[in-house]
Amino acid sequence: DVKVTQSSRYLVKRTGEKVFLECVQDMDHENMFWYRQDPGLGLRLIYFSYDVKMKEKGDIPEGYSVSREKKERFSLILESASTNQTSMYLCASSLSGPLSGNTIYFGEGSWLTVV
Amino acid sequence: GDSVTQMEGPVTLSEEAFLTINCTYTATGYPSLFWYVQYPGEGLQLLLKATKADDKGSNKGFEATYRKETTSFHLEKGSVQVSDSAVYFCALWDKGSSYKLIFGSGTRLLVRP
């Protein structure tokens, strides 16, 4: 089974802190994604990466950056956390693009509260 | 652009009732279609998928058929259980949208004993 592991399930951080959310997948997937989920707004893509050191902005990249130094690990960075970044963050991965029946697999989510 | 429309929730059913959650899509290409389920406080789990027209995805008693002519992918289950209470998301993944999974807004299902 594919496993996407998010290192922290629940975090509480102070405004202005630098926050790292870590995600690891164990299936040698090329693509990795970070989404955030908010009531009434659904799931929104923050960033994705299609290869090591490669990244593309999603729909809401402002206030975030990402790092992918190794294929299995994709980190989301909040340079200076703000209260409007309080949310559920979901990491995902896939083997490649949507052809050939590929699937995107999600982690269990990280609940971040910024106070 | 690509989009997914799901029926509004919440959907409240009694145990053993028949479930349908409607999902329709708009896509420029030939997308793969998915249903994900989210239990309270958890991430998204893949429930089922279909990658081409007339494919039927099935898992845990849930089914959905990829209907190109009606651009639909409705989720059905013949007899729901209390443990099926969750939020269900329909999604499409189209090579036209590159890497982005396009989600519907989600439908909350509540099954009463």
Side-chain angles (χ1 to χ4, degrees), chain A residues 37-42 87:
Chain A
Q37 183 179 19
D38 301 286
L41 296 175
S87 186

CSV table of all heavy atoms in Angstrom, one decimal, chain A residues 37-42 87:
chain,number,residue,atom,x,y,z
A,37,GLN,N,-7.2,22.8,3.4
A,37,GLN,CA,-8.6,22.6,3.4
A,37,GLN,C,-9.2,23.4,4.4
A,37,GLN,O,-8.9,23.4,5.6
A,37,GLN,CB,-8.9,21.1,3.7
A,37,GLN,CG,-10.4,20.8,3.6
A,37,GLN,CD,-10.7,19.3,3.9
A,37,GLN,OE1,-9.8,18.6,4.4
A,37,GLN,NE2,-11.8,18.8,3.5
A,38,ASP,N,-10.2,24.2,4.0
A,38,ASP,CA,-10.9,25.1,4.9
A,38,ASP,C,-12.4,25.0,4.7
A,38,ASP,O,-12.9,24.9,3.5
A,38,ASP,CB,-10.5,26.6,4.6
A,38,ASP,CG,-9.0,26.8,4.8
A,38,ASP,OD1,-8.5,26.8,5.9
A,38,ASP,OD2,-8.3,26.9,3.7
A,39,PRO,N,-13.2,25.1,5.7
A,39,PRO,CA,-14.6,25.0,5.6
A,39,PRO,C,-15.2,26.1,4.6
A,39,PRO,O,-14.8,27.3,4.7
A,39,PRO,CB,-15.1,25.3,7.1
A,39,PRO,CG,-13.9,25.0,7.9
A,39,PRO,CD,-12.7,25.3,7.1
A,40,GLY,N,-16.0,25.6,3.7
A,40,GLY,CA,-16.6,26.5,2.8
A,40,GLY,C,-15.7,26.8,1.6
A,40,GLY,O,-16.2,27.4,0.6
A,41,LEU,N,-14.4,26.5,1.6
A,41,LEU,CA,-13.5,26.8,0.5
A,41,LEU,C,-13.0,25.5,-0.1
A,41,LEU,O,-12.3,25.6,-1.2
A,41,LEU,CB,-12.4,27.7,1.0
A,41,LEU,CG,-12.7,29.0,1.5
A,41,LEU,CD1,-11.5,29.7,2.1
A,41,LEU,CD2,-13.3,29.9,0.4
A,42,GLY,N,-13.2,24.4,0.5
A,42,GLY,CA,-12.8,23.2,-0.1
A,42,GLY,C,-11.3,23.0,0.0
A,42,GLY,O,-10.6,23.5,0.9
A,87,SER,N,-5.3,26.2,9.5
A,87,SER,CA,-6.0,25.3,8.5
A,87,SER,C,-5.6,23.9,8.7
A,87,SER,O,-4.7,23.5,9.5
A,87,SER,CB,-5.6,25.8,7.1
A,87,SER,OG,-6.4,25.1,6.1
